[in-house]
Amino acid sequence: MKEKSLRRFHYAILSVAAVMFLLPLLWVVIASLDTNAGEALKWPTAWTIGNYIQVLTSKSNLRAFGIGFVISFVEALVVVVVAILAAYPLSRYQLSYKKAFMNIILFMTALPIIAVIVPVYKMFLSIGLLNSITGVILFISASSLPYGIWMMKNFMDGVPLELEEAAWVDGATTMTSIMKIVTPLMFPGICTVFIYTFSKSWGNFFIPYILLSSPDKMPASVMLYQFFGQYGMIEYGALAAYSAIYTVPSIVLYILSQNYMSKGFSMSGAAKG
């Protein structure tokens, strides 16, 4: 009886947490279709798609979505490639400094960006990368690499070394074994790292806001500011429509990749006899 009551208590806590997450999403969906949307969650008296038309017919919004997608996609691609190359020796070689290096990587995953943004700002100013999309990509990639390497190394540990050894006997190089053996077998892990880094970059407001100054270079995460006017005036309907559209890339990417992410690392029968 005590165990049953404890289970109900756990379900109650989970239900409250679910409601806390679902209510803002419900407000976004309903407010985006409301002609008189406000800050409160209410059923619309009149439905409209005008808020979406307002967002999608704005050239500045379309440009911001495009810039945000380019930044996030390139950053995720850079992190995946570099993380694979960095994780390989950590997974495959018996290095004397491996434990210390992994501890440093773990420490860097917890390092707040605010702690390094000032020296990075000064460095970018001196080398001409300030107000540059390239600079934003480089900085976000560097800040995402520690966790990307950590995850990629754990996924790579699941690929049997015997498969590579068999390929080496057949004359394959290290890079060939990475590209044709390790990478295909850990593709679910690669998808996980890519989605994580893409979503993190897509939702990053702080770095582009600090490093970019030109309005025509701002990504979608920063352009949310346009709906907050002076004297507390907010276009709630357009803001909700913009927020709903803003979630589409991450949702689509997850749907396209969930088949790979759901697969385990079943290697039975894969080893060469």
Side-chain angles (χ1 to χ4, degrees):
M1 187 69 181
K2 183 178 180 181
E3 182 179 351
K4 192 174 182 180
S5 300
L6 185 62
R7 186 180 304 171
R8 289 178 178 175
F9 177 71
H10 290 163
Y11 280 126
I13 294 177
L14 291 175
S15 299
V16 172
V19 169
M20 292 177 65
F21 276 99
L22 288 175
L23 282 179
L25 294 178
L26 186 62
W27 177 88
V28 167
V29 174
I30 294 178
S32 67
L33 298 170
D34 191 355
T35 54
N36 297 306
E39 59 184 0
L41 178 61
K42 63 181 180 65
W43 195 255
T45 55
W47 299 86
T48 181
I49 60 171
N51 295 320
Y52 287 96
I53 295 175
Q54 177 183 342
V55 171
L56 293 175
T57 54
S58 171
K59 292 183 179 179
S60 60
N61 288 338
L62 296 179
R63 182 177 61 248
F65 283 120
I67 292 174
F69 182 82
V70 169
I71 291 175
S72 302
F73 185 85
V74 174
E75 182 263 343
L77 193 62
V78 169
V79 169
V80 164
V81 173
V82 176
I84 290 174
L85 297 177
Y88 186 82
L90 294 173
S91 175
R92 291 299 190 252
Y93 301 156
Q94 297 300 322
L95 305 174
S96 57
Y97 54 85
K98 181 191 294 188
K99 184 176 181 180
F101 190 74
M102 292 301 295
N103 288 334
I104 292 174
I105 292 177
L106 185 61
F107 168 76
M108 292 177 66
T109 60
L111 188 66
I113 295 177
I114 191 67
V116 297
I117 190 63
V118 173
V120 168
Y121 185 92
K122 291 183 177 180
M123 180 182 69
F124 278 18
L125 180 62
S126 62
I127 62 179
L129 282 178
L130 199 61
N131 195 29
S132 167
I133 294 177
T134 302
V136 173
I137 293 174
L138 289 175
F139 185 41
I140 297 179
S141 299
S143 62
S144 300
L145 264 176
Y147 196 68
I149 294 173
W150 183 273
M151 287 196 298
M152 200 70 76
K153 188 262 182 188
N154 291 332
F155 285 120
M156 196 172 292
D157 288 342
V159 180
L161 181 60
E162 291 79 7
L163 297 175
E164 289 189 83
E165 291 174 344
W168 295 336
V169 171
D170 293 336
T173 62
T174 301
M175 188 57 66
T176 301
S177 66
I178 292 175
M179 296 299 297
K180 295 186 177 181
I181 298 176
V182 178
T183 302
L185 291 176
M186 59 177 291
F187 193 69
I190 293 175
C191 287
T192 301
V193 175
F194 186 90
I195 292 173
Y196 171 80
T197 52
F198 181 94
S199 301
K200 181 181 177 182
S201 176
W202 182 253
N204 195 304
F205 169 85
F206 185 70
I207 293 177
Y209 181 73
I210 295 296
L211 298 182
L212 298 175
S213 57
S214 299
D216 58 345
K217 293 183 179 180
M218 295 295 182
S221 58
V222 181
M223 288 296 288
L224 278 169
Y225 256 139
Q226 67 181 301
F227 302 106
F228 295 84
Q230 293 181 342
Y231 310 111
M233 299 297 295
I234 303 175
E235 299 179 67
Y236 288 104
L239 174 62
Y242 189 96
S243 301
I245 298 171
Y246 184 69
T247 63
V248 170
S250 296
I251 295 175
V252 171
L253 187 61
Y254 175 76
I255 292 174
L256 293 176
S257 304
Q258 64 178 341
N259 290 333
Y260 295 106
M261 293 180 66
S262 62
K263 294 178 181 178
F265 296 114
S266 177
M267 301 296 178
S268 57
K272 182 176 179 181

